[in-house]
Amino acid sequence: MNLRRVLRARRGMTAVALAAGLVLTAAGCGGGGDGDDAKEPRPSEKAGDLQGGGDGGESGGSTGGEPLAKVRGGDDITLTVDSARRETGGFVTLTGKVTNGSGKAWVAPGWEGDESELALRNKLSVAGAKLVDQKGKKRYLVLRDTEGRCLCTSFGQPIQAGDSKTWYAQFPAPPKGNDKVEFQIADMPPADVTIGGGE
């Protein structure tokens, strides 16, 4: 085999390797794209697990773009709960949106909770959220990992005036049948939510 054939073969192999690399890079860059700074849920990898059932309040998902619950607090901050679902493994995932209707940047005061370790590791987050099961007379706090980080959204930076951010939080699941709960966070009014889904 002469030198010209060797060089031609090497150029062909290089082109194939580059094409394969570009395909892999494009595949790795797919997804999300909504510009949100919120962290993705960790225990629940499937996107479908977080979207709600889509067949009404009993399913834990909203219909026709209407949230399961909507409350407004001080500084014209609006919080919606769009989905509340039981997940395999004995926990509940809530998702929704926070909208800053004020005229200034909002830093989620008190939303990370008043427990010092949790607050330090989860600034600008929903780590201080609670689920209250009135029937079972229990209050459930946001789950956390072994390093003290909440299984919830950390916004990462203040929410600017007029902006909205999606959020999620995961809690231990109340017993089956105790599906009507209150979502509480900081000084926002309680939001009545019906949990859907099942294991």
Side-chain angles (χ1 to χ4, degrees), residues 40-115:
E40 291 299 316
R42 281 167 256 188
S44 195
E45 297 286 333
K46 296 178 185 175
D49 290 343
L50 302 178
Q51 298 305 315
D55 58 354
E58 291 302 315
S59 72
S62 59
T63 59
E66 291 297 317
L68 295 178
K70 182 176 182 178
V71 292
R72 179 172 290 173
D75 293 329
D76 202 15
I77 302 301
T78 302
L79 176 139
T80 64
V81 179
D82 298 328
S83 176
R85 299 206 31 102
R86 291 183 185 272
E87 309 279 3
T88 302
F91 62 93
V92 171
T93 301
L94 271 67
T95 63
K97 186 182 292 185
V98 178
T99 302
N100 179 4
S102 74
K104 58 186 178 183
W106 180 74
V107 294
W111 282 43
E112 70 277 3
D114 52 13
E115 186 183 334

Coordinates of all heavy atoms in Angstrom, one line a residue, residues 40-115:
E40 N -33.3 20.0 38.4 CA -34.2 19.0 38.1 C -34.4 18.0 39.3 O -33.5 17.8 40.1 CB -33.7 18.2 36.9 CG -33.7 19.0 35.6 CD -35.1 19.4 35.2 OE1 -36.0 18.6 35.2 OE2 -35.3 20.6 34.8
P41 N -35.6 17.4 39.4 CA -35.8 16.4 40.4 C -34.8 15.3 40.3 O -34.5 14.8 39.3 CB -37.2 15.9 40.1 CG -37.9 17.0 39.3 CD -36.8 17.6 38.5
R42 N -34.4 14.8 41.5 CA -33.4 13.8 41.5 C -34.0 12.4 41.6 O -33.7 11.5 40.8 CB -32.4 14.0 42.6 CG -31.3 15.0 42.2 CD -30.6 15.4 43.4 NE -31.0 16.7 43.8 CZ -30.5 17.5 44.7 NH1 -29.5 17.1 45.4 NH2 -31.0 18.7 45.0
P43 N -34.9 12.1 42.6 CA -35.4 10.7 42.7 C -36.2 10.3 41.5 O -36.3 9.2 41.1 CB -36.2 10.7 43.9 CG -35.8 11.9 44.7 CD -35.3 12.9 43.7
S44 N -36.9 11.2 40.9 CA -37.8 10.9 39.8 C -37.2 11.3 38.5 O -37.2 12.4 38.1 CB -39.1 11.6 40.0 OG -40.2 11.1 39.3
E45 N -36.7 10.3 37.7 CA -36.0 10.6 36.5 C -36.9 10.8 35.3 O -36.6 11.5 34.4 CB -35.0 9.5 36.2 CG -33.9 9.3 37.2 CD -32.9 10.4 37.2 OE1 -32.6 10.9 36.1 OE2 -32.2 10.7 38.2
K46 N -38.1 10.2 35.4 CA -39.0 10.2 34.2 C -39.7 11.6 34.1 O -40.4 11.9 35.1 CB -40.0 9.1 34.2 CG -39.3 7.7 34.2 CD -40.4 6.7 34.3 CE -39.7 5.3 34.4 NZ -40.7 4.2 34.6
A47 N -39.7 12.2 33.0 CA -40.4 13.5 32.9 C -41.9 13.3 33.1 O -42.6 14.1 33.6 CB -40.2 14.1 31.5
G48 N -42.4 12.1 32.6 CA -43.9 11.9 32.8 C -44.3 11.8 34.2 O -45.5 12.1 34.5
D49 N -43.4 11.5 35.1 CA -43.8 11.4 36.5 C -44.1 12.7 37.1 O -44.7 12.8 38.2 CB -42.6 10.7 37.4 CG -42.4 9.3 37.0 OD1 -43.4 8.7 36.5 OD2 -41.4 8.7 37.3
L50 N -43.6 13.8 36.5 CA -43.8 15.1 37.1 C -44.8 16.0 36.4 O -45.1 17.1 36.8 CB -42.4 15.9 37.0 CG -41.3 15.2 37.7 CD1 -40.0 16.0 37.5 CD2 -41.5 15.0 39.1
Q51 N -45.5 15.4 35.4 CA -46.4 16.2 34.6 C -47.9 16.1 35.1 O -48.7 16.9 34.6 CB -46.3 15.8 33.1 CG -45.0 16.0 32.5 CD -44.5 17.5 32.7 OE1 -45.2 18.4 32.4 NE2 -43.3 17.6 33.1
G52 N -48.2 15.3 36.0 CA -49.6 15.1 36.4 C -50.3 14.2 35.4 O -49.9 14.0 34.3
G53 N -51.5 13.8 35.9 CA -52.3 12.9 35.1 C -53.0 13.5 33.9 O -53.3 12.8 33.0
G54 N -53.3 14.8 34.0 CA -54.0 15.5 32.9 C -55.5 15.2 32.9 O -56.1 15.4 31.9
D55 N -56.1 14.5 33.9 CA -57.5 14.2 33.9 C -58.2 14.7 35.1 O -59.2 14.1 35.5 CB -57.7 12.7 33.7 CG -57.1 11.9 34.8 OD1 -56.4 12.5 35.7 OD2 -57.3 10.7 34.9
G56 N -57.8 15.9 35.6 CA -58.5 16.5 36.7 C -57.8 16.5 38.0 O -56.8 15.9 38.2
G57 N -58.5 17.1 39.0 CA -57.9 17.3 40.3 C -57.5 16.0 41.0 O -56.6 15.8 41.7
E58 N -58.4 14.9 40.8 CA -58.1 13.7 41.5 C -56.9 13.0 41.0 O -56.3 12.2 41.7 CB -59.3 12.7 41.3 CG -60.6 13.2 42.1 CD -60.3 13.3 43.6 OE1 -59.7 12.4 44.2 OE2 -60.8 14.3 44.1
S59 N -56.4 13.3 39.8 CA -55.2 12.7 39.3 C -54.0 13.4 39.8 O -52.9 12.9 39.5 CB -55.3 12.7 37.8 OG -55.1 14.1 37.3
G60 N -54.1 14.6 40.3 CA -52.9 15.3 40.7 C -52.4 16.2 39.6 O -51.3 16.7 39.8
G61 N -53.0 16.2 38.5 CA -52.6 17.1 37.4 C -53.6 18.1 37.0 O -54.8 17.9 37.2
S62 N -53.2 19.2 36.4 CA -54.2 20.2 36.1 C -54.7 20.0 34.7 O -54.1 19.2 33.9 CB -53.5 21.6 36.1 OG -52.4 21.7 35.3
T63 N -55.8 20.6 34.3 CA -56.4 20.4 33.0 C -56.6 21.8 32.4 O -56.8 22.8 33.1 CB -57.8 19.8 33.1 OG1 -58.6 20.6 33.9 CG2 -57.7 18.4 33.7
G64 N -56.4 21.8 31.1 CA -56.7 23.1 30.4 C -55.8 24.2 30.8 O -56.2 25.4 30.7
G65 N -54.6 23.9 31.3 CA -53.7 25.0 31.7 C -54.0 25.6 33.1 O -53.3 26.4 33.6
E66 N -55.1 25.1 33.8 CA -55.5 25.6 35.1 C -54.7 24.9 36.1 O -54.6 23.6 36.1 CB -57.0 25.4 35.3 CG -57.9 26.2 34.5 CD -57.7 27.7 34.7 OE1 -57.5 28.1 35.9 OE2 -57.6 28.5 33.7
P67 N -54.1 25.6 37.1 CA -53.3 24.9 38.2 C -54.2 24.2 39.2 O -55.4 24.5 39.2 CB -52.6 26.1 38.8 CG -53.4 27.3 38.5 CD -54.0 27.0 37.2
L68 N -53.7 23.3 39.9 CA -54.4 22.7 41.0 C -54.8 23.7 42.1 O -55.8 23.6 42.8 CB -53.6 21.5 41.6 CG -53.3 20.3 40.7 CD1 -52.4 19.3 41.5 CD2 -54.6 19.7 40.3
A69 N -53.8 24.6 42.4 CA -54.0 25.6 43.4 C -53.2 26.9 43.0 O -52.2 26.8 42.3 CB -53.5 25.1 44.7
K70 N -53.7 28.0 43.4 CA -53.1 29.3 43.2 C -53.3 30.2 44.3 O -54.4 30.4 44.8 CB -53.6 29.9 41.9 CG -53.0 31.2 41.5 CD -53.6 31.7 40.1 CE -52.9 33.0 39.6 NZ -53.5 33.4 38.3
V71 N -52.2 30.7 44.9 CA -52.2 31.7 46.0 C -51.3 32.9 45.7 O -50.4 32.8 45.0 CB -51.8 31.0 47.3 CG1 -52.8 29.9 47.7 CG2 -50.4 30.4 47.3
R72 N -51.7 34.0 46.4 CA -50.9 35.2 46.2 C -50.5 35.7 47.6 O -51.3 35.8 48.5 CB -51.7 36.3 45.5 CG -50.9 37.6 45.3 CD -51.7 38.5 44.4 NE -51.6 38.0 43.0 CZ -52.3 38.5 42.0 NH1 -53.1 39.6 42.2 NH2 -52.2 38.0 40.8
G73 N -49.2 36.1 47.7 CA -48.7 36.6 49.0 C -48.2 38.0 48.9 O -48.5 38.7 47.9
G74 N -47.5 38.4 49.9 CA -47.0 39.8 50.0 C -46.1 40.1 48.8 O -45.5 39.1 48.2
D75 N -45.8 41.3 48.5 CA -45.0 41.7 47.4 C -45.5 41.3 46.1 O -44.8 41.2 45.1 CB -43.5 41.3 47.6 CG -42.8 41.9 48.8 OD1 -43.2 43.1 49.1 OD2 -42.0 41.3 49.4
D76 N -46.8 40.9 46.0 CA -47.4 40.5 44.7 C -46.7 39.3 44.1 O -46.5 39.2 43.0 CB -47.5 41.7 43.7 CG -48.6 41.5 42.7 OD1 -49.4 40.6 42.9 OD2 -48.5 42.1 41.6
I77 N -46.4 38.3 45.0 CA -45.8 37.0 44.6 C -47.0 36.0 44.4 O -47.7 35.8 45.3 CB -44.8 36.5 45.6 CG1 -43.7 37.6 45.8 CG2 -44.2 35.2 45.1 CD1 -43.0 38.0 44.5
T78 N -47.1 35.4 43.3 CA -48.1 34.4 43.0 C -47.4 33.0 42.9 O -46.4 32.8 42.2 CB -48.9 34.7 41.7 OG1 -49.4 36.0 41.8 CG2 -49.9 33.7 41.5
L79 N -48.0 32.0 43.6 CA -47.5 30.7 43.5 C -48.6 29.8 43.0 O -49.7 29.9 43.5 CB -47.0 30.2 44.9 CG -46.6 28.7 45.0 CD1 -45.3 28.6 45.9 CD2 -47.7 27.8 45.5
T80 N -48.3 28.9 42.1 CA -49.2 27.9 41.6 C -48.7 26.5 41.9 O -47.5 26.3 41.9 CB -49.5 28.0 40.1 OG1 -48.3 27.7 39.4 CG2 -50.1 29.4 39.7
V81 N -49.6 25.6 42.2 CA -49.2 24.2 42.2 C -49.9 23.5 41.0 O -51.1 23.6 40.9 CB -49.8 23.5 43.5 CG1 -49.4 22.0 43.5 CG2 -49.2 24.2 44.7
D82 N -49.1 23.0 40.1 CA -49.6 22.5 38.8 C -49.8 21.0 38.8 O -50.5 20.4 38.1 CB -48.7 22.9 37.7 CG -48.6 24.4 37.5 OD1 -49.7 25.1 37.8 OD2 -47.6 25.0 37.1
S83 N -49.0 20.3 39.7 CA -49.1 18.9 39.7 C -48.7 18.4 41.1 O -47.8 19.0 41.8 CB -48.1 18.3 38.7 OG -48.0 16.8 38.8
A84 N -49.4 17.3 41.6 CA -49.1 16.7 42.9 C -49.3 15.2 42.8 O -50.4 14.8 42.6 CB -50.0 17.3 44.0
R85 N -48.2 14.5 42.7 CA -48.3 13.1 42.4 C -47.5 12.2 43.3 O -46.4 12.5 43.7 CB -47.8 12.8 41.0 CG -48.6 13.6 40.0 CD -48.6 13.0 38.6 NE -48.5 11.6 38.4 CZ -49.5 10.8 38.1 NH1 -50.7 11.3 38.1 NH2 -49.4 9.6 37.9
R86 N -48.1 11.0 43.7 CA -47.4 10.0 44.4 C -46.4 9.3 43.5 O -46.8 9.1 42.3 CB -48.4 9.0 45.0 CG -49.3 9.5 46.1 CD -50.2 8.4 46.6 NE -51.1 9.0 47.6 CZ -50.8 9.1 48.9 NH1 -49.6 8.6 49.4 NH2 -51.7 9.6 49.7
E87 N -45.2 9.0 44.0 CA -44.2 8.4 43.2 C -43.8 7.1 43.8 O -44.0 6.8 45.0 CB -43.0 9.3 43.1 CG -43.2 10.7 42.7 CD -43.3 11.0 41.2 OE1 -43.3 10.0 40.5 OE2 -43.5 12.1 40.8
T88 N -43.3 6.2 42.9 CA -42.8 4.9 43.4 C -41.6 5.2 44.4 O -40.8 6.1 44.2 CB -42.2 4.1 42.3 OG1 -43.2 3.9 41.3 CG2 -41.7 2.8 42.8
G89 N -41.7 4.6 45.6 CA -40.7 4.8 46.6 C -41.2 5.5 47.8 O -40.5 5.8 48.8
G90 N -42.5 5.9 47.8 CA -43.1 6.5 49.0 C -42.9 7.9 49.2 O -42.8 8.4 50.3
F91 N -42.8 8.7 48.1 CA -42.7 10.1 48.2 C -43.7 10.8 47.2 O -44.3 10.2 46.4 CB -41.3 10.6 48.0 CG -40.7 10.4 46.7 CD1 -40.8 11.3 45.6 CD2 -40.1 9.2 46.4 CE1 -40.3 11.0 44.4 CE2 -39.5 8.9 45.2 CZ -39.6 9.9 44.2
V92 N -43.9 12.1 47.5 CA -44.8 12.9 46.7 C -44.0 14.0 46.0 O -43.2 14.7 46.7 CB -45.9 13.5 47.5 CG1 -46.8 14.5 46.8 CG2 -46.8 12.4 48.1
T93 N -44.3 14.3 44.7 CA -43.6 15.4 44.0 C -44.7 16.4 43.7 O -45.7 16.1 43.0 CB -43.0 14.9 42.7 OG1 -42.0 13.9 43.0 CG2 -42.3 16.0 42.0
L94 N -44.4 17.6 44.1 CA -45.2 18.8 43.7 C -44.4 19.7 42.7 O -43.2 19.9 42.9 CB -45.6 19.6 44.9 CG -46.9 19.2 45.6 CD1 -46.8 17.9 46.3 CD2 -47.4 20.3 46.6
T95 N -45.1 20.2 41.7 CA -44.5 21.1 40.8 C -45.4 22.3 40.6 O -46.6 22.2 40.8 CB -44.2 20.5 39.4 OG1 -45.5 20.1 38.8 CG2 -43.3 19.2 39.5
G96 N -44.8 23.4 40.2 CA -45.6 24.6 40.0 C -44.8 25.8 39.4 O -43.7 25.6 38.9
K97 N -45.3 27.0 39.7 CA -44.6 28.2 39.2 C -44.7 29.3 40.2 O -45.7 29.4 40.9 CB -45.3 28.6 37.9 CG -44.6 29.7 37.1 CD -45.4 30.1 35.9 CE -45.3 29.0 34.9 NZ -46.0 29.4 33.6
V98 N -43.7 30.1 40.3 CA -43.7 31.3 41.1 C -43.5 32.5 40.2 O -42.6 32.5 39.3 CB -42.5 31.3 42.1 CG1 -42.5 32.6 42.9 CG2 -42.6 30.1 43.0
T99 N -44.4 33.5 40.3 CA -44.4 34.7 39.5 C -44.2 35.9 40.3 O -44.9 36.1 41.3 CB -45.7 34.8 38.7 OG1 -45.9 33.6 37.9 CG2 -45.6 36.0 37.8
N100 N -43.2 36.7 40.0 CA -42.9 38.0 40.7 C -43.6 39.1 40.0 O -43.2 39.6 39.0 CB -41.4 38.2 40.7 CG -41.0 39.5 41.4 OD1 -41.8 40.2 42.0 ND2 -39.7 39.8 41.3
G101 N -44.7 39.5 40.7 CA -45.5 40.6 40.1 C -45.1 42.0 40.7 O -45.8 43.0 40.4
S102 N -44.1 42.0 41.5 CA -43.6 43.3 42.1 C -42.8 44.0 41.1 O -42.5 43.5 40.0 CB -42.8 43.0 43.4 OG -41.6 42.5 43.1
G103 N -42.4 45.2 41.5 CA -41.6 46.0 40.6 C -40.1 45.9 40.9 O -39.3 46.7 40.4
K104 N -39.7 44.8 41.6 CA -38.2 44.7 42.0 C -37.9 43.2 42.0 O -38.7 42.4 42.0 CB -38.0 45.4 43.4 CG -38.8 44.8 44.5 CD -38.7 45.5 45.8 CE -39.6 44.9 46.8 NZ -39.5 45.7 48.1
A105 N -36.6 43.0 42.1 CA -36.1 41.6 42.2 C -36.5 41.0 43.5 O -36.6 41.7 44.5 CB -34.6 41.6 42.1
W106 N -36.9 39.7 43.5 CA -37.4 39.0 44.7 C -36.5 37.9 45.1 O -36.1 37.1 44.2 CB -38.8 38.5 44.4 CG -39.5 37.8 45.5 CD1 -40.0 38.3 46.6 CD2 -39.7 36.4 45.6 NE1 -40.6 37.4 47.4 CE2 -40.4 36.2 46.8 CE3 -39.4 35.3 44.8 CZ2 -40.7 34.9 47.2 CZ3 -39.7 34.1 45.2 CH2 -40.4 33.9 46.4
V107 N -36.1 37.8 46.4 CA -35.1 36.9 46.8 C -35.7 35.7 47.7 O -35.0 35.1 48.4 CB -34.0 37.6 47.6 CG1 -33.2 38.5 46.7 CG2 -34.6 38.3 48.8
A108 N -37.0 35.5 47.6 CA -37.6 34.4 48.3 C -37.3 34.4 49.8 O -36.9 33.4 50.4 CB -37.2 33.0 47.7
P109 N -37.7 35.5 50.5 CA -37.3 35.6 52.0 C -38.1 34.5 52.8 O -39.3 34.4 52.7 CB -37.8 37.0 52.3 CG -38.8 37.4 51.3 CD -38.4 36.7 50.0
G110 N -37.3 33.7 53.5 CA -37.9 32.7 54.4 C -38.3 31.4 53.7 O -38.7 30.5 54.3
W111 N -38.2 31.4 52.3 CA -38.7 30.2 51.6 C -37.7 29.0 51.8 O -38.1 27.9 51.6 CB -38.8 30.5 50.1 CG -40.1 31.3 49.8 CD1 -40.6 32.3 50.5 CD2 -40.9 31.0 48.7 NE1 -41.7 32.8 49.9 CE2 -42.0 32.0 48.8 CE3 -41.0 30.1 47.7 CZ2 -43.0 32.0 47.9 CZ3 -42.0 30.2 46.7 CH2 -43.0 31.1 46.8
E112 N -36.5 29.3 52.2 CA -35.6 28.2 52.4 C -35.8 27.6 53.8 O -35.1 26.6 54.2 CB -34.1 28.6 52.3 CG -33.6 29.6 53.3 CD -34.0 31.0 53.1 OE1 -34.7 31.3 52.1 OE2 -33.5 31.9 53.9
G113 N -36.6 28.1 54.6 CA -36.9 27.6 56.0 C -36.1 28.2 57.0 O -35.1 29.0 56.8
D114 N -36.4 28.0 58.3 CA -35.7 28.6 59.4 C -34.7 27.6 60.1 O -34.1 28.0 61.1 CB -36.7 29.2 60.4 CG -37.7 28.2 60.9 OD1 -37.6 27.0 60.6 OD2 -38.7 28.6 61.5
E115 N -34.6 26.4 59.6 CA -33.6 25.5 60.1 C -32.3 25.9 59.6 O -32.1 25.9 58.4 CB -34.0 24.1 59.8 CG -33.1 23.0 60.4 CD -33.4 21.6 59.9 OE1 -34.6 21.4 59.5 OE2 -32.5 20.8 59.9

